[in-house]
Amino acid sequence: MPAFKASSAFITWIGAALENSAFLIREPVTAIRSTSSSATSSAKAGVDKNDADTAQLSNALNHLIIVNEDREQVLTKEKEKAESARIRAIRLSNETRYTNEKLAQEITIRRSVEAQLTHTRSFLDSIIDSMPSALFTLDHRGYIIQCNQQAADWLACERQPLVGKRLANYIEMFDRIDLTFDNKLKPEVKKFERIKLTLPIGNFPADITLYP
């Protein structure tokens, strides 16, 4: 690297600078660059280029300048990375907020639908319970899925304990009734008229209708 040219006054300045080198090292690098630039502009041709002290100091200053420039480049790149990360974080935050808002809307809609379904089921249960006929909902094996209050009264039982029990355990004739329907054909309603039933509340004739 080229050496700086300096006058005798500049050499005196160099001596003072060396005595206070610890102070200069702690100064910002920009100040060193400014000082070296000022020293270069004030140099004169009469100074020996081979002066060892001057060459050593100029090399040290040039090295500091190069190091500073490298650090500035690294700092610029890190700032760019930080800005890119900040932009990604903002985008992710916006996407997360949008997703949360959408989920909140879906939850609100689902709760509204569930409330409507609950109301509808309660309304239908009220209608079924008010029917004067006994009503049983059975699976294909004859197990009770649901029944109305009149059906529970027929069997002299509470409604809830009947769920999951075979109706044939209470009405024997259901052991002889085929509860399956042909899915390939249009299911037809099965009717049994004037069937004599033996129930806990007594014996009496009844009409039985099976709906698919």
Side-chain angles (χ1 to χ4, degrees):
M1 299 177 62
F4 287 101
K5 296 180 180 181
S7 63
S8 58
F10 180 58
I11 292 173
T12 301
W13 173 84
I14 290 173
L18 289 175
E19 291 178 357
N20 298 285
S21 58
F23 173 78
L24 289 176
I25 290 174
R26 290 193 297 269
E27 285 294 304
V29 179
T30 53
I32 296 177
R33 295 181 63 183
S34 175
T35 304
S36 62
S37 175
S38 175
T40 303
S41 62
S42 63
K44 295 183 179 180
V47 178
D48 187 359
K49 294 180 180 181
N50 296 324
D51 186 284
D53 293 337
T54 303
Q56 183 177 1
L57 180 58
S58 64
N59 289 338
L61 292 175
N62 288 334
H63 176 70
L64 288 175
I65 292 172
I66 293 173
V67 169
N68 179 64
E69 292 175 348
D70 292 342
R71 289 179 178 176
E72 287 181 350
Q73 292 178 359
V74 171
L75 181 60
T76 300
K77 291 180 180 180
E78 292 301 322
K79 286 182 178 179
E80 293 174 353
K81 291 180 181 179
E83 179 64 17
S84 178
R86 187 183 69 85
I87 294 174
R88 288 198 303 270
I90 292 175
R91 183 171 62 250
L92 180 60
S93 176
N94 292 336
E95 292 175 355
T96 303
R97 183 172 62 253
Y98 173 76
T99 302
N100 290 339
E101 291 175 353
K102 188 175 181 180
L103 287 174
Q105 293 176 356
E106 291 178 355
I107 291 173
T108 301
I109 294 173
R110 179 173 296 181
R111 286 177 177 173
S112 175
V113 171
E114 290 176 350
Q116 292 177 7
L117 290 175
T118 301
H119 175 73
T120 301
R121 183 173 181 177
S122 177
F123 178 69
L124 291 176
D125 287 343
S126 298
I127 294 176
I128 291 173
D129 282 340
S130 65
M131 294 174 63
S133 301
L135 176 64
F136 294 95
T137 303
L138 308 177
D139 63 12
H140 67 282
R141 298 177 299 171
Y143 285 88
I144 300 172
I145 298 175
Q146 186 180 11
C147 67
N148 65 354
Q149 187 58 48
Q150 183 63 37
D153 292 342
W154 271 23
L155 302 181
C157 295
E158 296 294 330
R159 290 175 58 184
Q160 192 58 38
L162 289 174
V163 177
K165 304 290 182 59
R166 293 185 74 243
L167 183 57
N169 294 342
Y170 302 92
I171 305 177
E172 184 179 353
M173 68 162 292
F174 276 90
D175 263 337
R176 303 186 298 272
I177 295 178
D178 184 11
L179 298 175
T180 61
F181 293 87
D182 192 347
N183 293 328
K184 296 181 180 179
L185 301 175
K186 183 179 180 180
E188 295 182 357
V189 175
K190 298 179 181 181
K191 292 185 178 182
F192 305 88
E193 296 180 350
R194 308 306 293 177
I195 302 297
K196 185 179 180 179
L197 298 180
T198 301
L199 302 173
I201 61 173
N203 300 331
F204 58 90
D207 296 334
I208 299 175
T209 305
L210 300 180
Y211 296 93

